[in-house]
């Protein structure tokens, strides 16, 4: 009775593993893109909440800047602006922010100023997430 495997058996097994990996890799990459896009959309929603509640708690106007490189919340107190919160933007995770960078202003009541509806579209590969902010401050994430 012999022990071990032959070279032909090893090559066949390696070929099968390579074929299975080739089939699984694109699906895994698409799933990873969707996870990263969802995380970035949740970060935009979190920035919106921080800006809104900061305006209410500090009783002053706040600005939310959504740009590819950063998400930033600033408070306007008199002639000064104070940075309250800052995080990396979607570009840090390889996402693109479709459209122009925008700033949203919030009144001390927490209501956005001067916006009907704002939307931010984040894209990585085939994964697209769109964050929609209503005039009253409600947020939703649309998945495509």
């Amino acid at each position: 009775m012999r022990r071990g495997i032959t070279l032909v058996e090893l090559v066949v097994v390696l070929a099968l593993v390579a074929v299975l990996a080739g089939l699984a890799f694109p699906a895994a990459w698409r799933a990873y893109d969707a996870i990263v896009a969802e995380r970035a959309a949740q970060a935009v929603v979190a920035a919106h909440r921080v800006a809104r509640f900061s305006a209410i708690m500090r009783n002053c106007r706040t600005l939310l800047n959504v740009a590819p490189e950063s998400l930033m919340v600033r408070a306007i107190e008199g002639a000064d602006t104070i940075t309250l919160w800052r995080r990396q933007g979607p570009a840090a995770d390889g996402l693109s922010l479709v459209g122009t960078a925008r700033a949203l202003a919030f009144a001390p009541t927490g209501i956005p100023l001067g916006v009907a509806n704002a939307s931010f579209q984040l894209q990585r590969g085939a994964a697209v997430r769109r964050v929609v902010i209503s005039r009253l401050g409600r947020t939703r994430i649309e998945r495509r």
Side-chain angles (χ1 to χ4, degrees), residues 19-130:
V19 167
L20 291 175
L23 292 174
F25 185 73
W29 194 257
R30 283 191 299 275
Y32 179 70
D33 285 347
I35 289 168
V36 171
E38 183 70 25
R39 185 176 64 199
Q42 291 292 338
V44 172
V45 170
H48 175 268
R49 288 182 182 152
V50 167
R52 185 172 184 205
F53 290 120
S54 294
I56 295 168
M57 296 301 291
R58 295 175 76 91
N59 196 27
C60 66
R61 290 180 53 198
T62 59
L63 293 174
L64 166 62
N65 290 330
V66 178
E69 62 279 350
S70 70
L71 303 172
M72 186 171 23
V73 175
R74 293 180 293 157
I76 302 171
E77 294 181 353
D80 294 332
T81 60
I82 302 166
T83 301
L84 302 175
W85 188 85
R86 184 182 182 116
R87 297 291 183 265
Q88 289 183 334
D93 291 325
L95 283 110
S96 60
L97 181 63
V98 179
T100 58
R102 300 180 67 161
L104 300 176
F106 292 86
T109 58
I111 303 282
L113 298 171
V115 219
N117 280 333
S119 65
F120 302 98
Q121 185 169 322
L122 304 163
Q123 184 172 359
R124 178 180 166 135
V128 176
R129 297 294 184 268
R130 187 169 172 226

